[in-house]
Amino acid sequence: WLQGWGCEPFLCWCTWRGAAASKLEVSMPAVVEVERGGTARIECNFYIPGNDSYTYIQWFYIERNNRVQLCRVMGSEILEENTDYKGRLRVGKDNALSISRVTMQDTRTFICQVEAGSHGMGENRTELRVYKVPEAPEITAISGGVSVQSSEIPQIAQCVSRNSFPLPNITWYKNGEKLQLEEKKVKILSTVTRESSGLYTVGSTLFARVTREDRKSFYHCTVHYWLQGQRHAVESRRVNVTVFYPAQHVKLQVMPSSALVKEGDNVKLVCEADGNPAPVFSFYKRELDDSWQDLSSLADSNSGVLNLHDVRKSSSGLYRCQTLDLDDMRQLEKDVELVVNYIEGVHVKMEPSSPLQEGDSVRLSCDAHSPVALDYQWRDEKGKKVAEGNQLFLSNLTFETASNFSCKVIAPSVPGLEQSKEVAVAVQGKPRIVAISSPLYVRQDEVVNLTCKAIAFPRPSLHWNVNGTAHEYVENQHIASNLTVRVNHDLLRAGAMCRVSNSLGASEKHIQLLDQKTPESKGVIIVAIIVCILVVAVLGSVIYFLHKKGKIPCGRAGKQDITKPEARKDKIVVEVKSDKLSEEAGLLQGANGEKRPAADQ
């Protein structure tokens, strides 16, 4: 009649089945699990032969191997005893016992006893298990770091999980793989604390040997616990520990690359070692006598950087970085060659080197020295590139083409490495007057400016044959003078003379002054022009009107010469005379002798 045991997700039941049972039977789940603070429900099912009624049902719990009565159920009446459960008990219509606000102390065995008169008495029991899911584990890595050379197994991390029931256990993992106890390599120490609440706090400390590869390893712990017949786990966060290990290799490099270093640059020599912590760095430079100059005072011994500012050609040479591990006093060293690129001895040669005259030709040659290949460019004084290559040929020289030229030397393989050298190409000759204010229209007693501009080399001197206030300006090979004078009768008659001279000769030019009349005649001419324009307009209108009226035939037979009409009574003749036209023609010119355009006249 007893068919077997069955397990549900939350209750493990002891079931009874029988087709022809002959006595009272009581069935209850073997185990009921409930989380702390929740409500536990314990069912009590029974079978009475003949489907008779029960007399009463009693509930007990076991404490220290003694039964303690909780309540008695008689029909619809429930009699509750004065126990710690008073106020937390309830018996449902299905005779199931419910206990609210369960605590860890409620973890015990409960008994359901059924009295059925002549059928006797039957009972069964259930173990109530109260659980509390553990809190997520807290992991703390060792703060000071661990050494691969430690004589004892170093501590890696600690793990703590609080407030759980029943007692859980902790396991350790490195890079996702479970760690097993291993003599002299892996050791785990565990602690268990029972809190006043009845919950457990568990702790675990991991000790393990490390290698230099473990600098990238991550550790974590996992708390495992059982709940409702299934195993569960809660993982901690991953932590990495600082691993100390001696250096095995050292690297020394020039920044920027040695191939790109030029004079005037700031250079860093960076020394790196693969140890942790970084060793102590020292720097040296080999001298010509093969001795080593200590440069450690110029470097940061902790960071391994040697700064060289404004390097010169003499900074080139062999540099050495030396490391010292303070744990085992082991030394490593590395050398690097520093090459400082430069351009020196830039020289420009001019052929012929004798003084140049207008119309001559000259060849400029540029040369320089550098450990790298060089390119040459020629630029004028405005910075415009005029040629490439180390030679520049200039022909048919004049004062105007004379200039300062520069040879720009460039190292294409080293960005920014360049030098320039300037040379002056001076063309000698006697002065040549290039601009003068003549003729100049003036009036009596008027204050005017006389201008004279010349070009020459060597620098000339400029003189006037009349008295006045002179202002002289010099720009490159040009010289200009403005003379301020008051016009008198003698000046108007004789004019002025500008003379420019240097050691190679002299040039002079005459400035002609013309008398300019009063402006009244200019107004008469303008009025006469306006009147003529109006007369022509009226004449055109009359001819158009006569043509429309048919007075002037347009056929071949009636064609007339209107440019030379015969004298008639309706003939319109306009004639403008002026005795002063010839005298006043000069009024249409500028005050200083500049002629106005025809449109202005």
Side-chain angles (χ1 to χ4, degrees), residues 152-414:
E152 298 180 355
I153 303 177
Q155 178 179 329
I156 302 298
Q158 289 183 326
C159 182
V160 177
S161 178
R162 308 179 189 279
N163 299 325
S164 62
F165 193 91
L167 184 66
N169 68 299
I170 294 177
T171 56
W172 285 95
Y173 297 83
K174 183 177 79 170
N175 298 328
E177 295 185 2
K178 184 178 179 180
L179 291 173
Q180 304 290 346
L181 294 176
E182 188 174 354
E183 187 177 358
K184 296 183 180 181
K185 289 187 176 182
V186 179
K187 181 173 66 173
I188 299 175
L189 298 182
S190 301
T191 60
V192 177
T193 303
R194 184 74 180 265
E195 308 291 348
S196 59
S197 61
L199 302 178
Y200 291 103
T201 294
V202 292
S204 181
T205 304
L206 173 65
F207 298 83
R209 293 281 184 190
V210 293
T211 64
R212 63 188 296 120
E213 286 74 24
D214 286 327
R215 68 187 184 277
K216 299 180 181 179
S217 295
F218 285 88
Y219 299 84
H220 78 276
C221 60
T222 300
V223 177
H224 301 274
Y225 61 96
W226 287 91
L227 179 61
Q228 297 169 356
Q230 295 182 348
R231 180 172 175 148
H232 299 266
V234 181
E235 294 184 353
S236 72
R237 62 186 178 90
R238 269 70 170 163
V239 296
N240 175 255
V241 295
T242 303
V243 179
F244 300 130
Y245 46 88
Q248 293 180 339
H249 305 91
V250 63
K251 180 174 65 174
L252 179 61
Q253 58 182 340
V254 178
M255 299 180 64
S257 172
S258 183
L260 303 177
V261 176
K262 63 182 181 298
E263 282 193 320
D265 282 350
N266 295 327
V267 177
K268 287 184 178 181
L269 268 64
V270 180
C271 191
E272 297 176 333
D274 60 354
N276 187 36
V280 177
F281 297 93
S282 300
F283 289 90
Y284 304 89
K285 182 179 185 291
R286 189 171 67 181
E287 300 294 335
L288 295 177
D289 58 357
D290 288 338
S291 63
W292 291 90
Q293 178 188 2
D294 190 354
L295 303 177
S296 300
S297 60
L298 305 177
D300 186 344
S301 60
N302 296 321
S303 66
V305 177
L306 173 63
N307 291 293
L308 302 176
H309 300 284
D310 192 23
V311 294
R312 301 284 99 190
K313 174 184 175 182
S314 58
S315 303
S316 297
L318 188 66
Y319 289 79
R320 171 171 292 175
C321 169
Q322 193 175 81
T323 65
L324 174 64
D325 194 308
L326 298 179
D327 285 341
D328 57 6
M329 304 306 292
R330 181 184 177 188
Q331 285 187 341
L332 297 174
E333 59 186 32
K334 190 71 174 179
D335 296 343
V336 68
E337 185 78 24
L338 173 62
V339 177
V340 179
N341 297 289
Y342 60 90
I343 298 175
E344 64 180 7
V346 181
H347 173 70
V348 178
K349 181 180 179 182
M350 184 167 60
E351 295 176 323
S353 59
S354 58
L356 301 173
Q357 306 294 327
E358 282 195 300
D360 287 350
S361 298
V362 67
R363 185 185 304 275
L364 304 178
S365 300
C366 187
D367 193 19
H369 175 68
S370 175
V372 294
L374 299 177
D375 288 343
Y376 298 85
Q377 293 180 358
W378 293 93
R379 296 179 182 270
D380 61 17
E381 59 187 5
K382 296 181 179 179
K384 180 181 178 182
K385 185 169 69 173
V386 295
E388 291 187 351
N390 68 330
Q391 290 190 345
L392 174 64
F393 183 75
L394 302 173
S395 62
N396 195 22
L397 296 173
T398 64
F399 288 131
E400 287 79 8
T401 58
S403 177
N404 291 328
F405 293 89
S406 65
C407 171
K408 187 174 184 180
V409 186
I410 304 171
S413 61
V414 185

Side-chain angles (χ1 to χ4, degrees), residues 84 98 100 106 228-229 292 334 406 412 451 463 479 500 585:
D84 293 339
S98 295
S100 61
D106 295 332
Q228 297 169 356
W292 291 90
K334 190 71 174 179
S406 65
T451 301
H463 301 281
I479 183 171
V500 186

Side-chain angles (χ1 to χ4, degrees), residues 1-6 13-21 25-27 124:
W1 58 271
L2 188 61
Q3 196 174 51
W5 296 83
W13 294 86
C14 173
T15 60
W16 170 86
R17 294 177 185 176
E25 294 290 345
V26 179
S27 63
N124 211 330

